[in-house]
Amino acid sequence: MAERRTRGTSGSDPSRTTAARATAIAEQLHHESCILLELYRKKEKLTVGELVADRRLVSVPPPSSQLDTGDTLWRLHSALLQCRSLLERAIAKEEQELGGGKKGDYETMRKMVKDRLSLLLINTELLRAVDGAAVLTPNLDELELESPSSLFELKLWIYRIFKEVEHWSKTAITTLQGLPSVMDKERARGARLRSMRSARR
Amino acid sequence: MKSESVTRSIMIPFILLSLFCHSSQDGNTGEHVVLLCGPKNLTLKSWDQTIQATWEDDPSCSAVKEELVYELLVLVRDQQVHHDLVTVTPEQIGLSHLWTWTSHRALECDSPSVLLSVRYRNYTSPRRQEGTLPGMTNSSDPEVYPRDPVFQVGSRATFCCVLPAGGTFTDMYLVGYNRSEGNITKINNQTYSLSLVLNQPSSPSGTDVKCEATIHQQPTDNGVTAFIGYPPDDRELQCETRDLESVECQWTVGRDTHLPTQYQLVGSAYECFQRTCRGKEDVSTGERSWKLRAHNELGTVELTDSADLMTRVHMLAPESVTGSTVNHRDARLKWSWKVQGYKDLNLTCEVNLSHAGPQKPNSGVGLDSTVLMNLIPNWSYNVTVRCRTTQHPWKWSSWSSTFNFHTKGDVPDALDVWMKMKDNEILIIWKILLEKQSHGHVLDYTVTWSNIRGTEQHNTTTVTHNHVTLRLDTTQQYVVNVTARNVNGSSSPSTIITPSSSSAGLNPTGVRGSRMAGGGGGFNVSWSSSPAASCGYIVDWCPSSSPSTVTWIKVPQTNVFLKNLREGQRYSVSISACTRGAALLLETREGYVQEQRIQGDLFRALRSKQTGSEVELSWDQIPLTEQTAFIQGYVLEWSDRDQQDNNTAVHNVSTDEPTSTSLTASDLKTSSYTFTVKARTALGECCSKQLIVHVNSGTDNWIRTVVISLAAVFSVLTLVSVVCCRQWACIKQKVYPPIPRPLLTDTWLRSTGERSLHVDQGPSEVDIMDAPQLLRKPGAQVNQPPPNLPPPLRSLPAPAGLPSSPFRGAFQNLSYDLMMQTEDQQPPEGHTAEYPAPTPPLDTAQEEPGSHMTCDLTYILVPQPVLCKFTPLMN
């Protein structure tokens, strides 16, 4: 409790600071990914019918209330890592198959989203380190690696990847915003357990 | 050994069969053999929309000594969609045969079959082979074919959409195309095709072809991305060297193909990027050739070029251009070369000078400097340099970076002087020097003149404007010199000789004047040559309304076009002969470049004057500035306003004198007239202005005069009467003063005859002295009551600062309060004439000696004392 009080008064809890910064980055990423989706939809004149039949490309364990902070962070970090990997492949593939035109707002926003996602990953990594969890690189083996068989499918695939980025940036906001209170509870629970054990001894 | 036995086992039955056939058909054994001739091992392949069929001849065909004709039928759902023949020569029999055909529709949409048969001579073999392309695999989504196709703009394309089982077709279209441009056909329950002409090139990410359907009650769609573009049509490959160490090949890129297009310089390791291929090369190897291949999915273009690279030196731009020496009118430029090899080449360099353009090129081996001549002093220049090889001129280098320099200042150029004469004045005028002529800020101009004979001293004046007016003896000629001065000194003098009045000179009097017409924005002026013109002619011109804005030009010929003149502006043009002495005025002209209809109110001050039955309408002289066309005269029209019907006669009078300022209408009756005055120009009548005038008869005028006179007399009399009434008292006093009754007393009756004698002779001096109260004693204070005056009835408070006086309130206006003793106010009988009276505020200076009383006719104002003597009159 004393430790908790000290942190509360000093206001320099590194996990809180990192979480706040990561939340801000996630919010910015979500905003930019929404713009990117809109720019792409306009560029490729995609219709709603094509977009509803989407399926998930990022594969992570399902969310559960039983997951502790470390697992939650790991799940988020894993999803974001997959997003970045997919985004990099999408950009490369798009440039290779559909590039050649003048670079405009879309290309600028695409690069911005990619850079912002990398920044968010750095911060979630830091957060996990602060939290004391082992910094394990999530396994990307489950990531869907098959490429689209036609250009039209490529376009839809790219859209789905952008959609994944948007979805996981939104999830990151929710997760990161709720993180400090969860961590406080866990610390409190841990302290109680320690005191009970020492009392038994 | 094993293979040999196998071969034998095959060959023996074959030989036996052949022998059997040969013996049993009596000479027709060959035909029996070829009955078995036909295709075998038919295989079908497909890519994009192309079918490729390969097959072999049956061994029996080897017996046929003539050419075989294979017939191929392409069937789609048992319907023939294509027919083709393949001829196999006897030499080709036994080999593998190949046939390809490209369908206009995606093969996945149709699953076509190929039926192959053979015939020779007139015999058709019963042996046939049939192959079918595998259809598309079942999908849960609609599938569009062909996948990722490439088309040329303008071609017709057919796409098909294959629905999964149970799917319902909704629509099929190309994004960016109108739905009406495509023709949708139902091929079968599961297949639909869309056919249309592709008239738009696709974007870099292609054009999507979409098929919309409903599958299991869910709307869904799918599509393919098509690329629509052009084959490459690049041309004009040119290879050259810039640094004498490498080669650059460039070409003219054709229209945008809208497709990825690869470029390759065949047989070289050059790197190609965009529209340039580069590679290291020994440039001294003489003639060689290059081949460029441009390729995309719609075609290939090959371009070739050959040259000796030493004749294809495209130099890099000179570097570090500087001015080593900069003077008043010349400068020396230097530059350097980035490529050392240039120093060994014979080079030609061109300098581009701002305000002067490209200079004459200079040549030399390794040329790296040049001298610029004929520069303008005190002038800023921007200079760039470019070069090329002299021996084999190929291309100019690009221009070097700009070098700026400023030449040193100098004295101004000589002035261009002219003069205009008017009466006894001579206007000496000169053109203001342009910046490139002044060579610095002009401080002032000095005008010097003297008699041409040199009998007078030089007169000098300095001015800061560009003209001076001289009043000279016009009987003599003068030499006038004008110089301009700037900080560097004075210009060389410009001399002009003024004409004398004895010569024709520049005085326009007596010189032929004429009108001229303009056109094309100016005047084309030509004149007869004059023997007096020894140095050409001087033509000067100015707006006629402002002669001081004259400008001039000196020409050697007898015609000139004066341009940039305004339409609707009258110009005066003078033509003078240039002589060794004074200029000689030959002729003057006046005209408009283009006459314009006069706008606005020309007759601004239109007025009328009736004289008897005539009315004269007059106006102010019309200024030249308002005359946008020559006025040829004026017209005055009038009509009787009282006759309102349409048949009212309109009378008019006109003049052809442009300077006229009046017109008179005559024979007018007493009525109201509408007068209209107009100006006549070459463009028609204009500037109409109306004036309504009521014309009176002579009797009316007489009656009006009498009435006015009577009214004036009546007014005067009334005024006199009023004045008299208001001043009646004074008038009466002056004209008929009251006569006091004589006071007859016993004393008076007992007086001596001497006193009676006084009465008879009128008021005596003593009597006059008997009214002492009306006279102010010398030294008495003004407003001081006489001793015997009763005290005032009331006393007003004295103004602050003034001494209180009991009389101040009672005698506010002494002149107004003057009391005059009338007959009614005379004292009762038995009293003397010594009645109390206020002392008037008389000025002692104005007081006449012997006066007794003042009377003011305009008493409201400053008192004007009138002396009224109270002279006792006998009744």
Side-chain angles (χ1 to χ4, degrees):
Chain A
M1 290 297 288
E3 183 188 353
R4 185 180 169 190
R5 200 177 300 120
T6 306
R7 280 181 181 169
T9 50
S10 67
S12 59
D13 185 345
S15 62
R16 278 176 184 272
T17 310
T18 310
R21 186 166 59 239
T23 306
I25 295 167
E27 285 171 346
Q28 188 65 23
L29 175 63
H30 182 250
H31 174 69
E32 288 166 354
S33 58
C34 287
I35 296 173
L36 180 64
L37 275 169
E38 186 62 21
L39 285 172
Y40 187 71
R41 202 172 60 78
K42 282 183 181 172
K43 174 176 171 278
E44 298 299 346
K45 301 181 179 67
L46 298 175
T47 54
V48 179
E50 293 153 352
L51 309 180
V52 292
D54 58 350
R55 55 196 172 91
R56 298 251 76 90
L57 298 174
V58 171
S59 171
V60 288
S64 167
S65 58
Q66 301 302 313
L67 293 176
D68 63 4
T69 308
D71 293 337
T72 308
L73 273 177
W74 182 90
R75 180 174 176 273
L76 175 66
H77 190 71
S78 173
L80 293 175
L81 267 178
Q82 290 180 58
C83 282
R84 185 172 68 176
S85 176
L86 285 167
L87 189 59
E88 284 172 347
R89 283 169 54 194
I91 291 171
K93 199 81 177 167
E94 188 179 23
E95 281 299 309
Q96 180 188 340
E97 302 287 344
L98 304 169
K102 287 182 180 175
K103 306 302 175 198
D105 292 345
Y106 164 70
E107 284 77 9
T108 307
M109 186 54 69
R110 192 178 61 181
K111 182 177 184 307
M112 200 178 286
V113 166
K114 188 186 133 195
D115 294 345
R116 191 81 62 197
L117 179 57
S118 296
L119 188 62
L120 180 59
L121 275 166
I122 292 169
N123 278 271
T124 51
E125 188 100 20
L126 282 173
L127 205 54
R128 290 176 62 214
V130 168
D131 189 56
V135 184
L136 295 173
T137 304
N139 189 5
L140 295 177
D141 291 345
E142 296 175 9
L143 193 60
E144 186 181 0
L145 290 173
E146 63 181 75
S147 293
S149 59
S150 73
L151 291 175
F152 189 76
E153 285 179 14
L154 173 65
K155 290 179 181 179
L156 300 183
W157 179 71
I158 292 169
Y159 183 84
R160 284 204 293 270
I161 291 172
F162 292 164
K163 193 76 183 162
E164 287 287 11
V165 175
E166 186 268 337
H167 169 77
W168 283 105
S169 61
K170 192 175 177 182
T171 306
I173 296 169
T174 314
T175 305
L176 294 169
Q177 278 176 341
L179 209 53
S181 58
V182 175
M183 289 165 75
D184 287 346
K185 283 177 188 172
E186 287 180 356
R187 282 196 191 103
R189 195 187 311 137
R192 271 200 305 274
L193 285 171
R194 279 194 297 275
S195 61
M196 284 171 66
R197 282 173 193 153
S198 59
R200 281 174 191 167
R201 284 171 194 162
Chain B
M1 288 296 289
K2 190 175 183 180
S3 63
E4 268 186 18
S5 63
V6 171
T7 307
R8 281 177 191 161
S9 63
I10 294 172
M11 289 298 292
I12 290 170
F14 180 75
I15 294 167
L16 289 174
L17 181 64
S18 300
L19 288 172
F20 170 75
C21 292
H22 184 74
S23 60
S24 63
Q25 295 294 327
D26 294 331
N28 288 331
T29 51
E31 287 185 12
H32 283 281
V33 171
V34 297
L35 282 175
L36 302 173
C37 177
K40 71 169 187 178
N41 299 335
L42 173 66
T43 56
L44 294 180
K45 289 182 183 175
S46 69
W47 64 89
D48 295 340
Q49 293 172 228
T50 300
I51 304 173
Q52 185 188 66
T54 54
W55 71 95
E56 295 168 0
D57 304 313
D58 188 90
S60 60
C61 297
S62 58
V64 180
K65 302 302 179 188
E66 296 173 23
E67 62 183 21
L68 304 176
V69 178
Y70 282 99
E71 184 176 30
L72 295 109
L73 294 178
V74 181
L75 304 172
V76 173
R77 288 176 292 281
D78 299 330
Q79 296 290 317
Q80 178 183 326
V81 293
H82 186 67
H83 169 261
D84 208 352
L85 297 173
V86 176
T87 303
V88 176
T89 61
E91 294 79 28
Q92 294 171 326
I93 294 174
L95 302 176
S96 181
H97 309 301
L98 181 72
W99 169 86
T100 57
W101 172 69
T102 303
S103 168
H104 72 280
R105 210 153 66 188
L107 302 174
E108 293 88 342
C109 303
D110 295 328
S111 296
S113 302
V114 176
L115 186 62
L116 179 64
S117 61
V118 66
R119 69 168 185 261
Y120 55 94
R121 276 182 262 170
N122 293 323
Y123 178 76
T124 302
S125 170
R127 294 190 60 179
R128 297 183 172 188
Q129 277 214 308
E130 184 173 358
T132 302
L133 283 172
M136 51 88 57
T137 54
N138 249 342
S139 168
S140 58
D141 291 325
E143 295 291 344
V144 180
Y145 299 99
R147 287 179 180 263
D148 304 338
V150 179
F151 297 99
Q152 188 163 347
V153 176
S155 62
R156 173 169 282 277
T158 301
F159 302 90
C160 67
C161 177
V162 180
L163 304 178
T168 308
F169 179 79
T170 306
D171 198 4
M172 195 173 175
Y173 58 91
L174 262 73
V175 175
Y177 282 67
N178 285 332
R179 304 286 172 107
S180 59
E181 291 180 61
N183 182 25
I184 297 173
T185 307
K186 180 179 179 181
I187 298 172
N188 57 41
N189 284 339
Q190 281 185 266
T191 311
Y192 291 79
S193 73
L194 168 68
S195 181
L196 77 170
V197 175
L198 305 170
N199 51 19
Q200 300 170 28
S202 56
S203 66
S205 61
T207 301
D208 291 341
V209 186
K210 292 185 180 175
C211 177
E212 295 176 352
T214 303
I215 298 164
H216 304 308
Q217 312 297 325
Q218 288 289 324
T220 184
D221 61 4
N222 204 349
V224 294
T225 300
F227 284 91
I228 306 159
Y230 300 96
D233 66 341
D234 305 280
R235 55 195 179 278
E236 296 170 12
L237 175 69
Q238 279 189 344
C239 295
E240 63 190 18
T241 180
R242 305 210 67 171
D243 56 4
L244 305 178
E245 292 176 350
S246 62
V247 179
E248 273 187 21
C249 292
Q250 293 182 320
W251 58 92
T252 304
V253 177
R255 64 185 166 191
D256 184 1
T257 61
H258 296 270
L259 298 172
T261 303
Q262 288 82 40
Y263 293 94
Q264 181 194 6
L265 210 57
V266 181
S268 73
Y270 292 4
E271 290 182 354
C272 297
F273 181 69
Q274 292 183 341
R275 56 186 66 185
T276 304
C277 291
R278 288 190 181 87
K280 287 285 179 186
E281 199 82 60
D282 181 2
V283 299
S284 60
T285 55
E287 184 92 7
R288 58 152 302 168
S289 60
W290 299 269
K291 181 190 279 185
L292 177 79
R293 180 176 293 144
H295 170 78
N296 69 12
E297 293 205 45
L298 293 176
T300 301
V301 167
E302 287 190 344
L303 310 173
T304 58
D305 185 29
S306 62
D308 179 353
L309 282 171
M310 288 311 290
T311 66
R312 295 272 186 93
V313 180
H314 183 189
M315 298 181 67
L316 298 171
E319 294 186 326
S320 309
V321 179
T322 55
S324 55
T325 313
V326 178
N327 297 319
H328 305 88
R329 295 173 191 270
D330 59 73
R332 185 177 189 84
L333 291 182
K334 289 194 72 175
W335 58 87
S336 61
W337 294 114
K338 185 177 182 181
V339 177
Q340 296 303 309
Y342 291 168
K343 292 181 179 176
D344 302 325
L345 300 177
N346 192 1
L347 305 177
T348 299
C349 293
E350 187 180 59
V351 176
N352 188 35
L353 203 58
S354 58
H355 314 294
Q359 303 293 292
K360 187 182 174 185
N362 288 332
S363 297
V365 175
L367 188 68
D368 61 357
S369 67
T370 191
V371 176
L372 301 173
M373 306 293 288
N374 302 320
L375 302 178
I376 302 168
N378 190 39
W379 198 253
S380 290
Y381 285 97
N382 304 325
V383 65
T384 52
V385 186
R386 66 177 181 177
C387 300
R388 67 181 180 188
T389 53
T390 308
Q391 195 174 355
H392 302 287
W394 172 237
K395 290 178 184 173
W396 286 107
S397 70
S398 51
W399 290 102
S400 68
S401 54
T402 305
F403 169 65
N404 306 316
F405 66 94
H406 193 90
T407 51
K408 294 177 181 173
D410 202 355
V411 298
D413 288 351
L415 294 164
D416 184 0
V417 183
W418 185 234
M419 62 184 166
K420 293 290 282 182
M421 291 191 71
K422 186 181 179 184
D423 301 330
N424 292 330
E425 291 183 344
I426 298 177
L427 173 71
I428 305 293
I429 187 167
W430 52 93
K431 288 180 181 171
I432 292 176
L433 293 172
L434 302 175
E435 199 177 346
K436 64 180 179 182
Q437 297 169 322
S438 62
H439 310 154
H441 176 64
V442 174
L443 302 171
D444 53 42
Y445 303 92
T446 301
V447 182
T448 307
W449 68 96
S450 66
N451 191 310
I452 196 168
R453 290 176 294 182
T455 55
E456 290 180 2
Q457 278 191 330
H458 282 75
N459 299 290
T460 300
T461 183
T462 300
V463 294
T464 54
H465 42 265
N466 72 322
H467 62 271
V468 66
T469 302
L470 303 178
R471 291 175 182 275
L472 301 175
D473 180 3
T474 55
T475 60
Q476 297 188 45
Q477 288 189 314
Y478 286 83
V479 178
V480 182
N481 288 319
V482 188
T483 59
R485 185 174 69 91
N486 68 9
V487 71
N488 300 301
S490 294
S491 67
S492 56
S494 297
T495 303
I496 194 165
I497 299 173
T498 64
S500 65
S501 57
S502 57
S503 64
L506 295 178
N507 199 334
T509 311
V511 174
R512 183 163 56 97
S514 61
R515 282 189 178 178
M516 60 180 176
F523 293 110
N524 195 359
V525 186
S526 58
W527 58 94
S528 304
S529 61
S530 168
S534 59
C535 50
Y537 300 90
I538 298 135
V539 180
D540 69 63
W541 67 94
C542 61
S544 301
S545 55
S546 57
S548 60
T549 59
V550 66
T551 187
W552 61 95
I553 187 172
K554 190 174 176 182
V555 292
Q557 71 277 10
T558 57
N559 61 73
V560 67
F561 184 73
L562 309 178
K563 57 185 178 181
N564 297 330
L565 303 180
R566 282 174 49 205
E567 295 182 350
Q569 168 90 61
R570 188 185 296 187
Y571 286 94
S572 298
V573 177
S574 301
I575 300 147
S576 306
C578 172
T579 70
R580 291 190 174 200
L584 179 65
L585 181 63
L586 299 177
E587 57 181 293
T588 61
R589 296 179 191 179
E590 205 172 40
Y592 292 87
V593 171
Q594 176 77 50
E595 287 186 275
Q596 289 183 335
R597 191 171 181 82
I598 300 173
Q599 304 289 337
D601 187 6
L602 202 61
F603 305 101
R604 204 164 290 144
L606 188 63
R607 52 200 175 272
S608 66
K609 179 183 174 187
Q610 182 186 351
T611 309
S613 63
E614 293 182 343
V615 170
E616 181 191 63
L617 263 75
S618 59
W619 56 90
D620 291 345
Q621 187 80 37
I622 295 167
L624 277 175
T625 51
E626 296 185 12
Q627 296 185 32
T628 56
F630 281 118
I631 293 177
Q632 297 169 342
Y634 301 95
V635 179
L636 175 63
E637 294 177 349
W638 68 90
S639 59
D640 193 341
R641 283 170 58 83
D642 294 341
Q643 298 175 6
Q644 294 293 337
D645 55 341
N646 292 332
N647 297 325
T648 304
V650 177
H651 308 275
N652 67 69
V653 64
S654 64
T655 176
D656 293 335
E657 181 53 56
T659 57
S660 231
T661 56
S662 67
L663 279 170
T664 302
S666 55
D667 297 333
L668 301 175
K669 297 173 185 174
T670 303
S671 183
S672 180
Y673 285 90
T674 300
F675 289 92
T676 306
V677 62
K678 302 172 187 173
R680 284 195 292 109
T681 69
L683 304 171
E685 292 180 343
C686 72
C687 320
S688 168
K689 189 164 187 179
Q690 288 189 335
L691 189 67
I692 297 170
V693 178
H694 184 77
V695 178
N696 300 318
S697 66
T699 310
D700 291 344
N701 288 337
W702 183 81
I703 291 172
R704 185 187 299 136
T705 307
V706 168
V707 168
I708 290 171
S709 303
L710 286 175
V713 169
F714 179 76
S715 300
V716 170
L717 288 176
T718 305
L719 185 66
V720 169
S721 301
V722 169
V723 170
C724 289
C725 287
R726 297 195 63 164
Q727 299 296 324
W728 177 245
C730 187
I731 292 168
K732 186 179 176 185
Q733 192 68 35
K734 291 188 75 174
V735 176
Y736 184 61
I739 302 169
R741 288 182 182 175
L743 295 175
L744 300 176
T745 61
D746 294 343
T747 309
W748 185 79
L749 290 174
R750 286 192 303 269
S751 65
T752 62
E754 191 177 337
R755 189 171 282 265
S756 300
L757 184 62
H758 279 291
V759 171
D760 290 338
Q761 292 177 347
S764 67
E765 192 176 345
V766 175
D767 294 330
I768 293 169
M769 295 300 290
D770 281 345
Q773 294 82 357
L774 291 177
L775 298 175
R776 192 164 52 120
K777 290 179 182 175
Q781 191 177 359
V782 176
N783 288 347
Q784 192 173 5
N788 56 347
L789 201 66
L793 296 176
R794 58 189 176 92
S795 175
L796 293 175
L802 291 176
S804 178
S805 169
F807 297 96
R808 201 171 299 281
F811 299 99
Q812 289 296 309
N813 188 339
L814 293 177
S815 59
Y816 182 79
D817 291 340
L818 272 176
M819 294 180 185
M820 187 177 290
Q821 190 71 23
T822 63
E823 191 176 5
D824 302 334
Q825 296 166 326
Q826 285 180 11
E829 233 174 84
H831 287 234
T832 63
E834 300 168 4
Y835 59 89
T839 306
L842 290 176
D843 186 352
T844 50
Q846 293 176 349
E847 190 177 353
E848 293 181 8
S851 63
H852 295 173
M853 182 179 179
T854 59
C855 180
D856 189 5
L857 289 175
T858 55
Y859 55 85
I860 295 175
L861 302 175
V862 178
Q864 298 292 325
V866 175
L867 297 177
C868 296
K869 291 182 180 176
F870 286 89
T871 307
L873 294 175
M874 296 298 289
N875 288 336

